[in-house]
Amino acid sequence: MRIKEEYREETIINKSRFIACLLPSKTEEEARAYIECIRKEYADATHVCTAYSLGPNQCIQRSSDNHEPAGTAGVPMLEAIKKSGIEDITACVVRYFGGIKLGAGGLIRAYSGSVSNAIANAKKVEDVIFQKYRVQYPYDLSGTLETWLRRNTEIDEILYDENVTCYFFTDDPSIEKKIQDITKGKIKPHFLQEIKREKDIIEE
C-alpha cells in the first residue's frame, strides 16, 4: 500500500506549526530531491525533519532530526511510517517554533502524530492483478451489456464494426460467469493477459 500523490497537512501544537509533507517515492534520489525541495520552500522554518522508507521489503530507511534533540523527530516519524504499513514514502515535517517548548515527549508525539495523521488522511493505492479481456457482441446487446461493462469494469477500448468489440480490465474473478448470465449464455469474454495495475483504496 502506498499514498497516491503528494499530500500536506498542518497542525498547531502549543503555538508551533507542524506541516507534514508526504510524497510517494521509489528511490533515494527521489526522496532526497523532495527533501531538498521542501527545505528550499520552507527556508525560513525552524526545523525540517525527515524520514523515508523505500525499496523491496522497505530495506532503505533513513531519518533526520535536523537539529531537534536527538531521537525526538526523525526516528518517531520513521516509526509512524512503519506502523502505518505504507511503502515507498518520503515524509518531511516542517516546524515553525511558536515560543513554547514541548519537551522530548511532546516533540516525539508532535512529529510522529503529524506523520500518522497525514498518512491516515492521504489517498492511498495498492498494486492489484487485473485481467484484460476482449468481448464481442452484436449491437442489439449494447444497451444492456455495454452499459453493464462501463459500470463494472474499466474500459480500455471499444471498436464499432460489424459487431462491437470491447477491451476491458477487471479484478473480478467471476466476470466470465456474470457476462454469460447477463447475455443468457450468448456471449463469453476472452481472457487476454494479466497486468499489475494501481488501484485506489476506498476507506470507509
Side-chain angles (χ1 to χ4, degrees), residues 141-152:
L141 286 178
S142 292
T144 54
L145 181 54
E146 189 170 314
T147 299
W148 186 89
L149 287 169
R150 290 186 181 277
R151 289 177 179 171
N152 295 278

Side-chain angles (χ1 to χ4, degrees), residues 98-147:
I100 299 175
K101 292 185 177 182
L102 302 182
L107 288 172
I108 291 170
R109 288 189 294 273
Y111 280 101
S112 64
S114 293
V115 172
S116 294
N117 292 337
I119 288 175
N121 294 323
K123 293 179 181 178
K124 301 172 189 69
V125 295
E126 61 183 345
D127 287 332
V128 175
I129 300 297
F130 280 81
Q131 291 77 42
K132 185 175 184 180
Y133 282 89
R134 180 185 70 245
V135 62
Q136 289 184 312
Y137 50 90
Y139 282 89
D140 60 8
L141 286 178
S142 292
T144 54
L145 181 54
E146 189 170 314
T147 299

Side-chain angles (χ1 to χ4, degrees), residues 8-163:
R8 301 188 185 190
E9 184 171 297
E10 181 173 334
T11 306
I12 306 295
I13 302 173
N14 286 348
K15 297 185 179 180
S16 281
R17 292 173 62 203
F18 290 87
I19 307 167
C21 307
L22 309 177
L23 184 77
S25 311
K26 289 289 188 182
T27 66
E28 279 201 275
E29 289 74 16
E30 290 178 2
R32 289 169 178 164
Y34 183 63
I35 290 168
E36 182 179 356
C37 179
I38 293 298
R39 285 183 170 158
K40 285 182 179 178
E41 181 179 346
Y42 296 97
D44 61 337
T46 314
H47 305 279
V48 179
C49 302
T50 63
Y52 55 84
S53 180
L54 317 167
N57 300 315
Q58 306 308 290
C59 60
I60 302 171
Q61 298 182 355
R62 304 279 187 272
S63 65
S64 169
D65 295 315
N66 192 228
H67 306 301
E68 288 281 30
T72 62
V75 170
M77 291 168 59
L78 188 57
E79 287 299 314
I81 290 172
K82 290 159 67 175
K83 287 180 182 178
S84 73
I86 293 293
E87 301 175 341
D88 296 329
I89 184 173
T90 302
C92 302
V93 176
V94 179
R95 183 190 183 191
Y96 286 92
F97 181 55
I100 299 175
K101 292 185 177 182
L102 302 182
L107 288 172
I108 291 170
R109 288 189 294 273
Y111 280 101
S112 64
S114 293
V115 172
S116 294
N117 292 337
I119 288 175
N121 294 323
K123 293 179 181 178
K124 301 172 189 69
V125 295
E126 61 183 345
D127 287 332
V128 175
I129 300 297
F130 280 81
Q131 291 77 42
K132 185 175 184 180
Y133 282 89
R134 180 185 70 245
V135 62
Q136 289 184 312
Y137 50 90
Y139 282 89
D140 60 8
L141 286 178
S142 292
T144 54
L145 181 54
E146 189 170 314
T147 299
W148 186 89
L149 287 169
R150 290 186 181 277
R151 289 177 179 171
N152 295 278
T153 72
E154 183 181 337
I155 302 295
D156 183 47
E157 185 179 18
I158 297 181
L159 304 175
Y160 298 96
D161 200 354
E162 292 184 6
N163 290 303

